Amino acid sequence: MKPIITAKDLCLWYGQSQALKNIDIDIPECSITALIGPSGCGKSTFLKTLNRMNDLIPGVKITGTVKYNGTDIFAQDVNLLRKEVGMVFQKPNPFPMSIYDNVAYGPRTHGIRSKARLDEIVEQSLKDTAIWDEVKDRLKKNALGLSGGQQQRLCIARALAVQPQVLLMDEPTSALDPISTLKIEELASKLKEKYTIVIVTHNMQQALRISDRTAFFLLGELVEYGDTDQIFSNPADQRTNDYVTGRFG
Amino acid sequence: MISNRRKLFLWTVRGLMSLATSLTGLLTLFLVGYVLIRGIPNVSWELLSTSPSYLSDRIGILPDILNTIYIIIATLVIVLPLGVGAAVYLTEYASNKRIVGIIEYAAEALSGIPSIIYGLVGMLIFSNNMGTCLMAGALTLVIMNLPVIMRNTQESLKTVPQAYREGAFGLGAGKWRVIRTVVLPGCVDGVVTGCILSVGRILGESAALLFTAGFAHVANGFIEGLSSAGATLTVALYVYAKEQGEFEVAFAIAAILMILSLLINLSATMVTKKFQRRNQ
Ligand SMILES: Nc1ncnc2c1ncn2[C@@H]1O[C@H](COP(=O)(O)OP(=O)(O)OP(=O)(O)O)[C@@H](O)[C@H]1O
Ligand SMILES: [Mg+2]
């Protein structure tokens, strides 16, 4: 498969402390890539680099290159990059507005004004995230009234509404109950037909269940990256083996 | 086992403290009651709806009411964009935290300066250039109230969750769009609280306005009013009591001001309560 994101020799510092060390990775299109590793190893940092959310943090220094569809992401308009590479956060963060306005926020940001077109996008995005039936009668109600799991699916719908190519998800199910988690996993597996998904997870079963490729991070380094089956059944590195068999982390 | 002397001591302290508390309460009640009882009987529709006239020896406070309204509107119209803009800049744009700290400290210090000093400076800067008029008074009040609006807005900007900003940036929104659609709607309460407090301060202000806005009692339209000298209710209270010995009118105005400031305090408390509930 053709890579959609390519990082070469990527290093990142928060002030003096280095959080990413010489990361080389190719992320294939229309697949799910899981990022695993112990707490503080740099998974979120790497994920946030891919759509430049780190730009918001003062004192971040980045070297190396990251290419999205062949173009350097740091030379690109950041708002257009984020339109292409969307993000879903660990804690559901719907805006304190109506369900409709939440989903329409992105399209409106990118200049879609037509009511009919917005209606269409909102409906499609909510259907894609399998939440349409639950909310179609209360689109004008405040999104904060939804349950945690519904809020997270709404946030995914909100991200899909700008028609991104890549969806970055940082532990999207860690704040959710098992049933909501299952729904999001099913959703991710369905979405990979059209989208590329990069997901950070602490849940080994989850990585194994849904991902095609797995990347194991440790202390800011990418220790091993390969097909998920191989990483879990036959890892090349001893540290990977220790981690996936639960010996540390 | 507590000794008897110690017991006696504790009793005395408690007694003195409850005495102080009840004295404070009684004094407040007395003051409010006295002003209301002496003032309210003098509040008549004629007083509220007419201008003073030397010919018919009549006193009306309509011009003072209008002046008060004009000066509140003019002050808020100018101070709101300035104060909210400054607050947004400091919390959302400014990157040098030390300078932000210094400005916040200066704003804090500015609110403690006696208002007569604002009056003196306002007279030199505004009245000496544009004449003694309500507008000069309003501009002086703008300087006085800028810190109030700014600090209240800032505090409520800080309560807007970072996750909202991240969510909006993550969808490709630019800085200004994020501020306009996600940040500003979240700080409306702070702006409202700031406005209520400012209106309270404007209503109660006399010293700064005596210097800058003058004390005429002529009923004008808005634009005309702003460009001429005029007394607000509080200034009129001073003028009627001190210069003309018209104590009935003075107490009537006092009662009106008292009721208004009670209402303002009440609404400020209510907004703050609502605000705290929402942030829980
Ligand atoms: N804003 C920041 N400023 C300074 N250091 C940071 C910042 N964010 C993260 N770090 C540091 O960078 C390192 C990597 O953090 P990161 O959040 O990427 O880890 P993670 O793998 O996502 O961990 P977790 O599984 O706990 O989410 C950590 O040592 C962390 O302390
Ligand atoms: Mg993380």
Side-chain angles (χ1 to χ4, degrees):
Chain A
M1 259 185 291
K2 145 174 175 268
I4 186 163
I5 290 176
T6 314
K8 280 233 154 48
D9 209 19
L10 175 69
C11 298
L12 183 146
W13 288 264
Y14 290 112
Q16 293 302 313
S17 75
Q18 187 166 8
L20 294 178
K21 297 173 184 159
N22 311 87
I23 308 290
D24 286 308
I25 195 169
D26 279 333
I27 293 171
E29 208 171 36
C30 294
S31 66
I32 299 181
T33 301
L35 310 181
I36 60 169
S39 195
C41 67
K43 306 178 297 291
S44 299
T45 301
F46 175 70
L47 197 71
K48 283 193 271 174
T49 307
L50 299 183
N51 74 343
R52 290 178 57 189
M53 289 301 280
N54 287 327
D55 287 14
L56 303 177
I57 304 169
V60 168
K61 203 185 108 204
I62 297 173
T63 62
T65 57
V66 180
K67 286 191 170 153
Y68 165 72
N69 266 340
T71 39
D72 180 3
I73 63 166
F74 299 110
Q76 205 170 334
D77 180 283
V78 67
N79 295 332
L80 291 182
L81 172 71
R82 290 180 187 152
K83 180 182 177 303
E84 297 286 309
V85 184
M87 185 143 208
V88 175
F89 299 82
Q90 178 170 7
K91 255 183 75 192
N93 61 347
F95 303 131
M97 14 174 126
S98 72
I99 295 173
Y100 185 98
D101 288 338
N102 262 281
V103 184
Y105 188 92
R108 283 181 176 141
T109 298
H110 297 285
I112 295 178
R113 289 277 166 274
S114 141
K115 173 89 172 67
R117 181 82 189 99
L118 284 173
D119 286 351
E120 202 180 306
I121 293 175
V122 169
E123 182 171 343
Q124 191 55 48
S125 309
L126 291 170
K127 278 182 174 160
D128 281 350
T129 49
I131 192 184
W132 172 250
D133 288 330
E134 292 159 65
V135 301
K136 63 170 185 278
D137 300 321
R138 49 199 277 213
L139 292 176
K140 297 288 167 209
K141 294 262 164 59
N142 197 312
L144 299 184
L146 297 172
S147 75
Q150 290 173 324
Q151 289 189 5
Q152 192 63 302
R153 277 181 287 149
L154 175 67
C155 290
I156 299 176
R158 185 176 70 183
L160 294 184
V162 297
Q163 291 161 339
Q165 297 298 308
V166 181
L167 208 52
L168 308 173
M169 301 174 133
D170 195 349
E171 302 183 47
T173 60
S174 66
L176 305 181
D177 62 275
I179 295 188
S180 306
T181 299
L182 204 65
K183 282 191 181 160
I184 301 230
E185 288 182 7
E186 283 169 1
L187 183 59
S189 305
K190 195 183 84 180
L191 290 175
K192 78 170 183 184
E193 291 167 12
K194 286 197 272 176
Y195 306 90
T196 306
I197 294 176
V198 185
I199 185 171
V200 172
T201 179
H202 275 287
N203 182 332
M204 294 304 113
Q205 272 78 39
Q206 183 169 68
L208 198 52
R209 272 195 301 268
I210 64 173
S211 73
D212 303 298
R213 307 269 291 168
T214 295
F216 172 59
F217 283 75
L218 189 63
L219 299 170
E221 282 176 60
L222 176 57
V223 173
E224 191 168 352
Y225 176 49
D227 285 339
T228 298
D229 293 337
Q230 177 253 313
I231 294 280
F232 280 89
S233 60
N234 186 21
D237 195 290
Q238 184 59 37
R239 293 168 295 176
T240 315
N241 189 48
D242 288 349
Y243 186 74
V244 298
T245 52
R247 259 192 278 274
F248 77 88
Chain B
M1 185 63 199
I2 305 172
S3 74
N4 279 342
R5 269 187 60 187
R6 179 112 186 109
K7 253 186 203 159
L8 189 69
F9 172 74
L10 289 175
W11 263 88
T12 324
V13 169
R14 261 186 74 170
L16 284 175
M17 286 197 300
S18 34
L19 194 70
T21 312
S22 23
L23 256 180
T24 317
L26 281 175
L27 267 175
T28 316
L29 270 183
F30 170 76
L31 192 75
V32 174
Y34 181 72
V35 169
L36 290 182
I37 288 168
R38 276 206 66 177
I40 287 179
N42 294 314
V43 179
S44 66
W45 178 242
E46 205 201 345
L47 181 81
L48 296 176
S49 61
T50 57
S51 298
S53 147
Y54 292 108
L55 292 175
S56 54
D57 195 24
R58 179 190 70 198
I59 293 182
I61 59 168
L62 177 67
D64 311 315
I65 295 177
L66 290 178
N67 288 339
T68 309
I69 296 174
Y70 296 163
I71 214 163
I72 287 177
I73 294 176
T75 307
L76 287 186
V77 163
I78 302 172
V79 79
L80 267 183
L82 284 180
V84 174
V88 168
Y89 182 79
L90 288 180
T91 27
E92 306 294 322
Y93 287 94
S95 49
N96 189 333
K97 293 298 162 218
R98 252 193 57 177
I99 293 184
V100 173
I102 292 174
I103 295 178
E104 284 175 0
Y105 178 79
E108 216 67 70
L110 219 55
S111 16
I113 294 178
S115 64
I116 196 153
I117 296 177
Y118 285 99
L120 185 66
V121 175
M123 181 176 75
L124 291 178
I125 303 178
F126 304 121
S127 306
N128 285 357
N129 290 312
M130 54 202 292
T132 299
C133 61
L134 285 185
M135 196 60 205
L139 290 173
T140 310
L141 291 175
V142 164
I143 302 178
M144 278 179 68
N145 286 294
L146 196 56
V148 181
I149 302 284
M150 196 185 94
R151 296 294 287 142
N152 276 286
T153 311
Q154 256 189 315
E155 287 313 311
S156 83
L157 281 175
K158 286 178 193 163
T159 67
V160 175
Q162 190 60 22
Y164 292 172
R165 297 184 179 87
E166 284 179 353
F169 280 121
L171 291 166
K175 182 111 188 172
W176 173 236
R177 180 166 166 81
V178 175
I179 290 174
R180 194 166 46 81
T181 55
V182 179
V183 177
L184 281 181
C187 77
V188 171
D189 340 44
V191 177
V192 172
T193 314
C195 279
I196 295 174
L197 293 176
S198 292
V199 170
R201 286 184 67 170
I202 298 172
L203 268 184
E205 189 48 53
S206 53
L209 291 176
L210 281 167
F211 273 107
T212 51
F215 24 79
H217 308 292
V218 185
N220 288 313
F222 185 62
I223 302 297
E224 182 80 33
L226 284 181
S227 47
S228 14
T232 61
L233 282 168
T234 308
V235 172
L237 166 64
Y238 170 81
V239 174
Y240 282 122
K242 184 76 185 165
E243 318 266 308
Q244 306 187 11
E246 294 283 359
F247 282 97
E248 278 89 20
V249 180
F251 270 103
I253 299 178
I256 295 172
L257 285 172
M258 188 85 94
I259 292 170
L260 286 178
S261 59
L262 288 180
L263 286 180
I264 284 171
N265 270 327
L266 202 71
S267 47
T269 321
M270 269 163 40
V271 172
T272 320
K273 273 226 184 88
K274 207 179 137 200
F275 182 35
Q276 282 163 350
R277 243 203 320 276
R278 205 201 56 183
N279 285 317
Q280 269 161 12

PDB file of all heavy atoms in Angstrom, chain B residues 247-275:
ATOM      1  N   PHE B 247     -32.883  69.551  51.008  1.00  0.00           N
ATOM      2  CA  PHE B 247     -32.662  68.203  51.524  1.00  0.00           C
ATOM      3  C   PHE B 247     -33.724  67.199  51.106  1.00  0.00           C
ATOM      4  O   PHE B 247     -33.439  66.016  50.988  1.00  0.00           O
ATOM      5  CB  PHE B 247     -32.488  68.247  53.034  1.00  0.00           C
ATOM      6  CG  PHE B 247     -31.122  68.716  53.409  1.00  0.00           C
ATOM      7  CD1 PHE B 247     -30.888  70.044  53.736  1.00  0.00           C
ATOM      8  CD2 PHE B 247     -30.044  67.832  53.368  1.00  0.00           C
ATOM      9  CE1 PHE B 247     -29.619  70.475  54.037  1.00  0.00           C
ATOM     10  CE2 PHE B 247     -28.768  68.256  53.669  1.00  0.00           C
ATOM     11  CZ  PHE B 247     -28.548  69.592  54.007  1.00  0.00           C
ATOM     12  N   GLU B 248     -34.970  67.667  50.855  1.00  0.00           N
ATOM     13  CA  GLU B 248     -35.994  66.714  50.403  1.00  0.00           C
ATOM     14  C   GLU B 248     -35.562  66.085  49.083  1.00  0.00           C
ATOM     15  O   GLU B 248     -35.617  64.876  48.907  1.00  0.00           O
ATOM     16  CB  GLU B 248     -37.360  67.399  50.195  1.00  0.00           C
ATOM     17  CG  GLU B 248     -38.167  67.594  51.443  1.00  0.00           C
ATOM     18  CD  GLU B 248     -37.821  68.919  52.100  1.00  0.00           C
ATOM     19  OE1 GLU B 248     -37.269  69.780  51.389  1.00  0.00           O
ATOM     20  OE2 GLU B 248     -38.069  69.062  53.310  1.00  0.00           O
ATOM     21  N   VAL B 249     -35.134  66.953  48.153  1.00  0.00           N
ATOM     22  CA  VAL B 249     -34.701  66.446  46.855  1.00  0.00           C
ATOM     23  C   VAL B 249     -33.490  65.544  47.018  1.00  0.00           C
ATOM     24  O   VAL B 249     -33.411  64.454  46.447  1.00  0.00           O
ATOM     25  CB  VAL B 249     -34.374  67.625  45.914  1.00  0.00           C
ATOM     26  CG1 VAL B 249     -33.915  67.091  44.570  1.00  0.00           C
ATOM     27  CG2 VAL B 249     -35.567  68.529  45.758  1.00  0.00           C
ATOM     28  N   ALA B 250     -32.536  66.005  47.853  1.00  0.00           N
ATOM     29  CA  ALA B 250     -31.320  65.207  48.048  1.00  0.00           C
ATOM     30  C   ALA B 250     -31.676  63.809  48.560  1.00  0.00           C
ATOM     31  O   ALA B 250     -31.158  62.803  48.062  1.00  0.00           O
ATOM     32  CB  ALA B 250     -30.387  65.915  49.023  1.00  0.00           C
ATOM     33  N   PHE B 251     -32.571  63.732  49.526  1.00  0.00           N
ATOM     34  CA  PHE B 251     -32.927  62.408  50.059  1.00  0.00           C
ATOM     35  C   PHE B 251     -33.724  61.583  49.058  1.00  0.00           C
ATOM     36  O   PHE B 251     -33.598  60.363  49.011  1.00  0.00           O
ATOM     37  CB  PHE B 251     -33.670  62.550  51.389  1.00  0.00           C
ATOM     38  CG  PHE B 251     -32.738  62.546  52.548  1.00  0.00           C
ATOM     39  CD1 PHE B 251     -32.401  63.728  53.207  1.00  0.00           C
ATOM     40  CD2 PHE B 251     -32.151  61.358  52.970  1.00  0.00           C
ATOM     41  CE1 PHE B 251     -31.513  63.718  54.259  1.00  0.00           C
ATOM     42  CE2 PHE B 251     -31.262  61.341  54.025  1.00  0.00           C
ATOM     43  CZ  PHE B 251     -30.933  62.529  54.681  1.00  0.00           C
ATOM     44  N   ALA B 252     -34.538  62.268  48.270  1.00  0.00           N
ATOM     45  CA  ALA B 252     -35.255  61.522  47.229  1.00  0.00           C
ATOM     46  C   ALA B 252     -34.252  60.865  46.283  1.00  0.00           C
ATOM     47  O   ALA B 252     -34.341  59.676  45.954  1.00  0.00           O
ATOM     48  CB  ALA B 252     -36.189  62.452  46.455  1.00  0.00           C
ATOM     49  N   ILE B 253     -33.260  61.646  45.848  1.00  0.00           N
ATOM     50  CA  ILE B 253     -32.231  61.081  44.962  1.00  0.00           C
ATOM     51  C   ILE B 253     -31.476  59.968  45.676  1.00  0.00           C
ATOM     52  O   ILE B 253     -31.217  58.902  45.119  1.00  0.00           O
ATOM     53  CB  ILE B 253     -31.248  62.180  44.509  1.00  0.00           C
ATOM     54  CG1 ILE B 253     -31.994  63.268  43.722  1.00  0.00           C
ATOM     55  CG2 ILE B 253     -30.151  61.579  43.652  1.00  0.00           C
ATOM     56  CD1 ILE B 253     -31.092  64.408  43.285  1.00  0.00           C
ATOM     57  N   ALA B 254     -31.156  60.205  46.942  1.00  0.00           N
ATOM     58  CA  ALA B 254     -30.418  59.195  47.698  1.00  0.00           C
ATOM     59  C   ALA B 254     -31.187  57.886  47.736  1.00  0.00           C
ATOM     60  O   ALA B 254     -30.619  56.801  47.554  1.00  0.00           O
ATOM     61  CB  ALA B 254     -30.145  59.699  49.106  1.00  0.00           C
ATOM     62  N   ALA B 255     -32.507  57.989  47.959  1.00  0.00           N
ATOM     63  CA  ALA B 255     -33.310  56.764  48.023  1.00  0.00           C
ATOM     64  C   ALA B 255     -33.284  56.041  46.679  1.00  0.00           C
ATOM     65  O   ALA B 255     -33.136  54.807  46.617  1.00  0.00           O
ATOM     66  CB  ALA B 255     -34.747  57.109  48.414  1.00  0.00           C
ATOM     67  N   ILE B 256     -33.403  56.811  45.596  1.00  0.00           N
ATOM     68  CA  ILE B 256     -33.374  56.189  44.265  1.00  0.00           C
ATOM     69  C   ILE B 256     -32.035  55.489  44.039  1.00  0.00           C
ATOM     70  O   ILE B 256     -31.975  54.321  43.622  1.00  0.00           O
ATOM     71  CB  ILE B 256     -33.600  57.262  43.180  1.00  0.00           C
ATOM     72  CG1 ILE B 256     -35.014  57.854  43.318  1.00  0.00           C
ATOM     73  CG2 ILE B 256     -33.399  56.664  41.788  1.00  0.00           C
ATOM     74  CD1 ILE B 256     -35.248  59.046  42.415  1.00  0.00           C
ATOM     75  N   LEU B 257     -30.949  56.189  44.361  1.00  0.00           N
ATOM     76  CA  LEU B 257     -29.617  55.599  44.166  1.00  0.00           C
ATOM     77  C   LEU B 257     -29.440  54.349  45.026  1.00  0.00           C
ATOM     78  O   LEU B 257     -28.881  53.344  44.581  1.00  0.00           O
ATOM     79  CB  LEU B 257     -28.539  56.619  44.515  1.00  0.00           C
ATOM     80  CG  LEU B 257     -28.321  57.727  43.488  1.00  0.00           C
ATOM     81  CD1 LEU B 257     -27.381  58.786  44.036  1.00  0.00           C
ATOM     82  CD2 LEU B 257     -27.770  57.148  42.187  1.00  0.00           C
ATOM     83  N   MET B 258     -29.951  54.427  46.230  1.00  0.00           N
ATOM     84  CA  MET B 258     -29.834  53.293  47.137  1.00  0.00           C
ATOM     85  C   MET B 258     -30.520  52.066  46.543  1.00  0.00           C
ATOM     86  O   MET B 258     -29.954  50.972  46.517  1.00  0.00           O
ATOM     87  CB  MET B 258     -30.494  53.659  48.473  1.00  0.00           C
ATOM     88  CG  MET B 258     -30.279  52.656  49.554  1.00  0.00           C
ATOM     89  SD  MET B 258     -28.718  52.983  50.356  1.00  0.00           S
ATOM     90  CE  MET B 258     -29.242  53.987  51.716  1.00  0.00           C
ATOM     91  N   ILE B 259     -31.738  52.270  46.072  1.00  0.00           N
ATOM     92  CA  ILE B 259     -32.489  51.139  45.505  1.00  0.00           C
ATOM     93  C   ILE B 259     -31.764  50.600  44.277  1.00  0.00           C
ATOM     94  O   ILE B 259     -31.573  49.391  44.121  1.00  0.00           O
ATOM     95  CB  ILE B 259     -33.924  51.574  45.154  1.00  0.00           C
ATOM     96  CG1 ILE B 259     -34.687  51.860  46.453  1.00  0.00           C
ATOM     97  CG2 ILE B 259     -34.632  50.489  44.354  1.00  0.00           C
ATOM     98  CD1 ILE B 259     -36.027  52.514  46.250  1.00  0.00           C
ATOM     99  N   LEU B 260     -31.307  51.516  43.418  1.00  0.00           N
ATOM    100  CA  LEU B 260     -30.592  51.068  42.219  1.00  0.00           C
ATOM    101  C   LEU B 260     -29.349  50.260  42.582  1.00  0.00           C
ATOM    102  O   LEU B 260     -29.089  49.209  42.000  1.00  0.00           O
ATOM    103  CB  LEU B 260     -30.192  52.270  41.355  1.00  0.00           C
ATOM    104  CG  LEU B 260     -31.320  52.935  40.577  1.00  0.00           C
ATOM    105  CD1 LEU B 260     -30.797  54.130  39.797  1.00  0.00           C
ATOM    106  CD2 LEU B 260     -31.951  51.916  39.624  1.00  0.00           C
ATOM    107  N   SER B 261     -28.588  50.739  43.573  1.00  0.00           N
ATOM    108  CA  SER B 261     -27.354  50.000  43.855  1.00  0.00           C
ATOM    109  C   SER B 261     -27.642  48.670  44.523  1.00  0.00           C
ATOM    110  O   SER B 261     -26.912  47.700  44.311  1.00  0.00           O
ATOM    111  CB  SER B 261     -26.360  50.841  44.654  1.00  0.00           C
ATOM    112  OG  SER B 261     -26.945  51.230  45.856  1.00  0.00           O
ATOM    113  N   LEU B 262     -28.745  48.600  45.298  1.00  0.00           N
ATOM    114  CA  LEU B 262     -29.127  47.290  45.834  1.00  0.00           C
ATOM    115  C   LEU B 262     -29.451  46.329  44.695  1.00  0.00           C
ATOM    116  O   LEU B 262     -29.012  45.180  44.670  1.00  0.00           O
ATOM    117  CB  LEU B 262     -30.327  47.414  46.776  1.00  0.00           C
ATOM    118  CG  LEU B 262     -30.045  48.078  48.130  1.00  0.00           C
ATOM    119  CD1 LEU B 262     -31.313  48.152  48.973  1.00  0.00           C
ATOM    120  CD2 LEU B 262     -28.960  47.315  48.877  1.00  0.00           C
ATOM    121  N   LEU B 263     -30.211  46.832  43.714  1.00  0.00           N
ATOM    122  CA  LEU B 263     -30.569  45.994  42.560  1.00  0.00           C
ATOM    123  C   LEU B 263     -29.318  45.533  41.817  1.00  0.00           C
ATOM    124  O   LEU B 263     -29.209  44.382  41.406  1.00  0.00           O
ATOM    125  CB  LEU B 263     -31.480  46.769  41.603  1.00  0.00           C
ATOM    126  CG  LEU B 263     -32.915  46.954  42.068  1.00  0.00           C
ATOM    127  CD1 LEU B 263     -33.714  47.743  41.043  1.00  0.00           C
ATOM    128  CD2 LEU B 263     -33.551  45.588  42.315  1.00  0.00           C
ATOM    129  N   ILE B 264     -28.369  46.459  41.665  1.00  0.00           N
ATOM    130  CA  ILE B 264     -27.148  46.114  40.938  1.00  0.00           C
ATOM    131  C   ILE B 264     -26.354  45.045  41.670  1.00  0.00           C
ATOM    132  O   ILE B 264     -25.888  44.075  41.075  1.00  0.00           O
ATOM    133  CB  ILE B 264     -26.305  47.374  40.706  1.00  0.00           C
ATOM    134  CG1 ILE B 264     -26.954  48.182  39.584  1.00  0.00           C
ATOM    135  CG2 ILE B 264     -24.878  47.033  40.361  1.00  0.00           C
ATOM    136  CD1 ILE B 264     -26.358  49.531  39.402  1.00  0.00           C
ATOM    137  N   ASN B 265     -26.234  45.209  42.992  1.00  0.00           N
ATOM    138  CA  ASN B 265     -25.533  44.187  43.758  1.00  0.00           C
ATOM    139  C   ASN B 265     -26.197  42.832  43.616  1.00  0.00           C
ATOM    140  O   ASN B 265     -25.544  41.812  43.441  1.00  0.00           O
ATOM    141  CB  ASN B 265     -25.511  44.574  45.239  1.00  0.00           C
ATOM    142  CG  ASN B 265     -24.288  45.405  45.555  1.00  0.00           C
ATOM    143  OD1 ASN B 265     -23.242  45.194  44.942  1.00  0.00           O
ATOM    144  ND2 ASN B 265     -24.416  46.330  46.458  1.00  0.00           N
ATOM    145  N   LEU B 266     -27.532  42.870  43.676  1.00  0.00           N
ATOM    146  CA  LEU B 266     -28.293  41.640  43.573  1.00  0.00           C
ATOM    147  C   LEU B 266     -28.027  40.955  42.235  1.00  0.00           C
ATOM    148  O   LEU B 266     -27.740  39.754  42.170  1.00  0.00           O
ATOM    149  CB  LEU B 266     -29.778  41.968  43.702  1.00  0.00           C
ATOM    150  CG  LEU B 266     -30.656  40.814  44.133  1.00  0.00           C
ATOM    151  CD1 LEU B 266     -30.366  40.497  45.598  1.00  0.00           C
ATOM    152  CD2 LEU B 266     -32.141  41.185  43.965  1.00  0.00           C
ATOM    153  N   SER B 267     -28.091  41.738  41.143  1.00  0.00           N
ATOM    154  CA  SER B 267     -27.919  41.100  39.835  1.00  0.00           C
ATOM    155  C   SER B 267     -26.482  40.624  39.663  1.00  0.00           C
ATOM    156  O   SER B 267     -26.250  39.577  39.057  1.00  0.00           O
ATOM    157  CB  SER B 267     -28.337  42.043  38.701  1.00  0.00           C
ATOM    158  OG  SER B 267     -27.793  43.305  38.891  1.00  0.00           O
ATOM    159  N   ALA B 268     -25.499  41.359  40.223  1.00  0.00           N
ATOM    160  CA  ALA B 268     -24.114  40.893  40.134  1.00  0.00           C
ATOM    161  C   ALA B 268     -23.975  39.552  40.840  1.00  0.00           C
ATOM    162  O   ALA B 268     -23.364  38.617  40.323  1.00  0.00           O
ATOM    163  CB  ALA B 268     -23.167  41.911  40.747  1.00  0.00           C
ATOM    164  N   THR B 269     -24.589  39.434  42.029  1.00  0.00           N
ATOM    165  CA  THR B 269     -24.521  38.170  42.756  1.00  0.00           C
ATOM    166  C   THR B 269     -25.167  37.055  41.951  1.00  0.00           C
ATOM    167  O   THR B 269     -24.644  35.945  41.878  1.00  0.00           O
ATOM    168  CB  THR B 269     -25.259  38.293  44.104  1.00  0.00           C
ATOM    169  OG1 THR B 269     -24.980  39.571  44.651  1.00  0.00           O
ATOM    170  CG2 THR B 269     -24.823  37.216  45.059  1.00  0.00           C
ATOM    171  N   MET B 270     -26.325  37.378  41.331  1.00  0.00           N
ATOM    172  CA  MET B 270     -27.022  36.343  40.583  1.00  0.00           C
ATOM    173  C   MET B 270     -26.218  35.864  39.381  1.00  0.00           C
ATOM    174  O   MET B 270     -26.103  34.664  39.140  1.00  0.00           O
ATOM    175  CB  MET B 270     -28.389  36.851  40.125  1.00  0.00           C
ATOM    176  CG  MET B 270     -29.459  36.531  41.159  1.00  0.00           C
ATOM    177  SD  MET B 270     -30.982  37.491  40.982  1.00  0.00           S
ATOM    178  CE  MET B 270     -31.214  37.528  39.237  1.00  0.00           C
ATOM    179  N   VAL B 271     -25.635  36.813  38.657  1.00  0.00           N
ATOM    180  CA  VAL B 271     -24.819  36.419  37.497  1.00  0.00           C
ATOM    181  C   VAL B 271     -23.635  35.570  37.954  1.00  0.00           C
ATOM    182  O   VAL B 271     -23.340  34.524  37.371  1.00  0.00           O
ATOM    183  CB  VAL B 271     -24.320  37.657  36.732  1.00  0.00           C
ATOM    184  CG1 VAL B 271     -23.330  37.260  35.662  1.00  0.00           C
ATOM    185  CG2 VAL B 271     -25.497  38.391  36.113  1.00  0.00           C
ATOM    186  N   THR B 272     -22.978  35.997  39.031  1.00  0.00           N
ATOM    187  CA  THR B 272     -21.827  35.239  39.513  1.00  0.00           C
ATOM    188  C   THR B 272     -22.230  33.825  39.906  1.00  0.00           C
ATOM    189  O   THR B 272     -21.543  32.856  39.596  1.00  0.00           O
ATOM    190  CB  THR B 272     -21.204  35.939  40.741  1.00  0.00           C
ATOM    191  OG1 THR B 272     -21.226  37.339  40.503  1.00  0.00           O
ATOM    192  CG2 THR B 272     -19.787  35.484  40.961  1.00  0.00           C
ATOM    193  N   LYS B 273     -23.379  33.704  40.579  1.00  0.00           N
ATOM    194  CA  LYS B 273     -23.849  32.381  40.990  1.00  0.00           C
ATOM    195  C   LYS B 273     -24.080  31.481  39.793  1.00  0.00           C
ATOM    196  O   LYS B 273     -23.632  30.345  39.742  1.00  0.00           O
ATOM    197  CB  LYS B 273     -25.167  32.518  41.770  1.00  0.00           C
ATOM    198  CG  LYS B 273     -24.982  32.760  43.237  1.00  0.00           C
ATOM    199  CD  LYS B 273     -25.918  31.859  44.047  1.00  0.00           C
ATOM    200  CE  LYS B 273     -25.823  32.147  45.531  1.00  0.00           C
ATOM    201  NZ  LYS B 273     -26.743  33.203  45.977  1.00  0.00           N
ATOM    202  N   LYS B 274     -24.767  32.032  38.793  1.00  0.00           N
ATOM    203  CA  LYS B 274     -25.091  31.266  37.604  1.00  0.00           C
ATOM    204  C   LYS B 274     -23.805  30.786  36.940  1.00  0.00           C
ATOM    205  O   LYS B 274     -23.661  29.645  36.512  1.00  0.00           O
ATOM    206  CB  LYS B 274     -25.862  32.170  36.638  1.00  0.00           C
ATOM    207  CG  LYS B 274     -26.780  31.392  35.715  1.00  0.00           C
ATOM    208  CD  LYS B 274     -27.531  32.321  34.794  1.00  0.00           C
ATOM    209  CE  LYS B 274     -27.531  31.752  33.412  1.00  0.00           C
ATOM    210  NZ  LYS B 274     -27.802  32.721  32.377  1.00  0.00           N
ATOM    211  N   PHE B 275     -22.856  31.701  36.894  1.00  0.00           N
ATOM    212  CA  PHE B 275     -21.551  31.513  36.329  1.00  0.00           C
ATOM    213  C   PHE B 275     -20.832  30.358  37.030  1.00  0.00           C
ATOM    214  O   PHE B 275     -20.335  29.425  36.404  1.00  0.00           O
ATOM    215  CB  PHE B 275     -20.851  32.841  36.552  1.00  0.00           C
ATOM    216  CG  PHE B 275     -19.473  32.972  36.036  1.00  0.00           C
ATOM    217  CD1 PHE B 275     -19.087  32.357  34.864  1.00  0.00           C
ATOM    218  CD2 PHE B 275     -18.556  33.767  36.712  1.00  0.00           C
ATOM    219  CE1 PHE B 275     -17.813  32.529  34.387  1.00  0.00           C
ATOM    220  CE2 PHE B 275     -17.288  33.935  36.233  1.00  0.00           C
ATOM    221  CZ  PHE B 275     -16.910  33.312  35.085  1.00  0.00           C
TER     222      PHE B 275
END
